[in-house]
Amino acid sequence: MDTQLFLACFFVYVIGTIIFGWWMTRKKQTGEDFLLAGRSLPLFLTLGTTLATMVGTGSSMGAVGTAYNSGFAGSLFGIGGAIGILLLAWLFAPVRNQKFMTMAEELSSYVGANRIVMNMVAVLTYLGCIGWLGAHILGGANYLQNTTGVDPVFAKVSIALGFGIYSMIGGYRAVVWTDSLQAIVLFAGFIATAFFAMQVLQGWDGLLQTNAKIAEVHPTNPIHNLSLVFAICIGVLGNPTFRQRIYSGNSVPDIRKAYVISGILYLGFAIIPSIIGMAAWVEFNGAEMAKDQAFPNMAKTVLPGTLAIIVLLAGLSATLSSASSDAISGVAILVRDIFKLIFKHTPSPDRVVADSRWSLVLTTGIALIFALKGKDIMGYIESMIAFLLAGMGVAGILGKVWPRYNAPGAICTMVAGSCTALYITKSEACTAFWGKPVIPTIIVAALAGIIVTLLTKPEKISQEEAADILAKERDEMEGA
């Protein structure tokens, strides 16, 4: 494959997405339009943007790399993601009716619109968005560098500019339209790669034999595998990006349908990274290889020249689509929640769009700085999920299903989650047993929240009253 031609195609592709995003959003926008697409996304756009984000950096590189080292364990990524998105459809799709803008609003509404809870969730979700965004930049840059041999810094800056420009121009509507277009490209690319990969494996029997050979070299630990499923599932439940799709959807039935279809398709997709990863193991004789290199190396080696370029662009489009969604989620949190925390008021309606664009530059810039120092994508993602998102995911579930849940319980849930994740990560014995800190983190966070809630007084403000309080703040920002 001609690497210079691929690099040229990549920049043409990015310019095309920028023009497409501008064209789809060329009319004047309000703050609600820029951050939530006017809360009017139809089913097909919610479906397209959800699929594009789910089949992102983790699936295109992390899951394939996991399969390269651990066989069918690469499918656990898809299983965990499918469970998470189906739980969102079941539990949280109805929160669309409250017209929340951020996860901080939603979680604080469960506990009397408590300001401490709202501020904690705002900070944690913003850091989580930066973490995800940094992982996408890091993954896309490693991918681009491995494919073309460009300088690592140039690759990271190119990826950041690639999604940052069209997101800044068009806002959330540009993101979801571009995501939906990229979803078609990346699904076609992965399916094409899997087709050629099966030829390398010589059919289903060869796939099973390869999995057995990999298991002999790299035996897997069932608890570690279970931890990976929990990590991906709680990452979806605690990720503000997936909540933003609920807040921006046209209706609860449309959101539920889109999420259920996404979960089913993603569950079916789960086997594809395993096929590609194990085919790469056969093609390269099990040579030592970084996890994020298996997919691009496989595409370059096995596919014909033109098809290889298309498939590699599909892999990069997965990174760009996921990154743009996390960037806009971070901007919504910064403009709605962090701005209120710092300045004690929300931005004026005539400044929301301009402030959002500057916030996107700031958010992407911070994530780029972290990405410039990072190397391991999966380690980056897994550590961030446990430390930042696991406690919030538990708090969201408890708040949604248990009316007795209160602010002290929510605070203890999040603090206990983060502290447990930090302790497990620093303990070699615990890490060796659990693999990832997410399971003990969920258990301790849930127990802490339940015990503290039962030992303290119920909230005086009902969830309906809390939602009204938050709506008044939001109306000031939206000029309602």
Side-chain angles (χ1 to χ4, degrees):
M1 187 190 73
D2 187 339
T3 58
Q4 295 302 314
L5 177 61
F6 171 76
L7 193 60
C9 290
F10 168 68
F11 285 114
V12 169
Y13 180 79
V14 169
I15 292 170
T17 59
I18 292 170
I19 294 172
F20 179 77
W22 167 81
W23 185 76
M24 293 305 306
T25 57
R26 58 196 183 280
K27 296 180 181 179
K28 185 177 180 180
Q29 293 180 306
T30 64
E32 189 178 75
D33 289 331
F34 190 91
L35 296 173
L36 293 168
R39 301 182 190 274
S40 60
L41 292 183
L43 187 153
F44 80 93
L45 282 179
T46 303
L47 174 62
T49 185
T50 302
L51 280 174
T53 300
M54 293 185 74
V55 187
T57 305
S59 294
S60 61
M61 280 162 279
V64 174
T66 299
Y68 184 85
N69 291 321
S70 306
F72 280 118
S75 299
L76 299 176
F77 216 102
I79 294 170
I83 294 171
I85 205 72
L86 291 173
L87 284 174
L88 279 176
W90 173 44
L91 287 175
F92 296 103
V95 303
R96 162 63 181 83
N97 293 329
Q98 274 68 53
K99 295 185 176 181
F100 296 125
M101 182 173 284
T102 64
M103 200 169 167
E105 282 189 320
E106 180 195 330
L107 265 62
S108 68
S109 76
Y110 298 144
V111 292
N114 183 274
R115 185 59 57 182
I116 296 175
V117 172
M118 187 172 184
N119 291 340
M120 284 182 66
V121 175
V123 172
L124 289 174
T125 50
Y126 184 67
L127 292 175
C129 283
I130 289 175
W132 280 116
L133 195 54
H136 299 317
I137 294 172
L138 181 60
N142 288 351
Y143 189 109
L144 188 62
Q145 180 192 359
N146 182 61
T147 304
T148 64
V150 296
D151 178 76
V153 175
F154 175 81
K156 291 173 183 178
V157 172
S158 297
I159 294 294
L161 290 176
F163 68 82
I165 293 175
Y166 73 74
S167 302
M168 186 172 66
I169 292 173
Y172 194 57
R173 195 178 298 276
V175 166
V176 297
W177 271 103
T178 311
D179 279 359
S180 299
L181 177 65
Q182 290 169 333
I184 298 171
V185 176
L186 65 92
F187 258 84
F190 272 97
I191 291 171
T193 308
F195 174 79
F196 284 93
M198 286 300 289
Q199 294 183 11
V200 172
L201 292 164
Q202 298 181 348
W204 183 255
D205 289 340
L207 179 69
L208 296 179
Q209 291 171 11
T210 301
N211 180 66
K213 291 177 182 177
I214 294 174
E216 292 177 2
V217 180
H218 300 288
T220 58
N221 184 313
I223 296 178
H224 292 189
N225 289 341
L226 186 63
S227 292
L228 177 57
V229 173
F230 269 87
I232 302 306
C233 178
I234 202 69
V236 172
L237 290 171
N239 191 332
T241 300
F242 291 102
R243 286 298 218 284
Q244 191 172 19
R245 289 178 175 81
I246 292 175
Y247 309 148
S248 62
N250 187 52
S251 66
V252 172
D254 278 358
I255 295 164
R256 272 211 166 117
K257 289 176 185 176
Y259 272 25
V260 169
I261 295 171
S262 297
I264 293 171
L265 289 175
Y266 195 53
L267 190 60
F269 175 85
I271 188 66
I272 292 180
S274 290
I275 293 172
I276 298 171
M278 283 190 274
W281 193 85
V282 171
E283 182 69 22
F284 302 111
N285 298 313
E288 288 294 326
M289 184 186 303
K291 284 184 176 182
D292 54 351
Q293 293 178 4
F295 179 78
N297 284 344
M298 184 66 182
K300 286 191 301 182
T301 304
V302 175
L303 301 181
T306 302
L307 185 57
I309 290 176
I310 295 172
V311 167
L312 289 168
L313 284 176
L316 277 173
S317 73
T319 296
L320 294 174
S321 63
S322 299
S324 60
S325 296
D326 284 311
I328 289 292
S329 294
V331 168
I333 296 163
L334 191 60
V335 172
R336 166 63 181 96
D337 303 324
I338 306 295
F339 191 99
K340 173 78 174 178
L341 172 62
I342 295 173
F343 298 105
K344 310 305 179 185
H345 63 84
T346 56
S348 60
D350 60 328
R351 288 289 309 166
V352 172
V353 174
D355 288 347
S356 296
R357 288 189 168 121
W358 283 112
S359 296
L360 196 145
V361 173
L362 176 63
T363 301
T364 305
I366 295 172
L368 178 59
I369 291 171
F370 281 105
L372 289 171
K373 297 179 178 297
K375 292 182 180 180
D376 177 37
I377 301 168
M378 290 303 295
Y380 191 110
I381 291 175
E382 290 157 3
S383 299
M384 183 267 299
I385 287 174
F387 184 72
L388 295 178
L389 303 185
M392 280 191 301
V394 173
I397 293 172
L398 289 175
K400 189 71 177 63
V401 303
W402 189 25
R404 174 67 172 79
Y405 197 51
N406 62 11
I411 293 169
C412 286
T413 298
M414 291 183 283
V415 172
S418 294
C419 290
T420 303
L422 185 62
Y423 173 79
I424 298 293
T425 302
K426 297 296 183 182
S427 170
E428 292 184 5
C430 291
T431 301
F433 180 79
W434 292 105
K436 299 165 184 61
V438 65
I439 293 178
T441 296
I442 291 172
I443 294 171
V444 173
L447 288 175
I450 292 170
I451 292 170
V452 172
T453 296
L454 293 174
L455 293 176
T456 52
K457 296 179 180 179
E459 294 294 339
K460 295 180 180 180
I461 300 174
S462 69
Q463 291 189 4
E464 291 76 15
E465 292 170 330
D468 289 340
I469 293 171
L470 296 168
K472 290 179 182 178
E473 290 184 9
R474 193 167 56 249
D475 288 345
E476 293 177 5
M477 177 176 165
E478 297 174 353

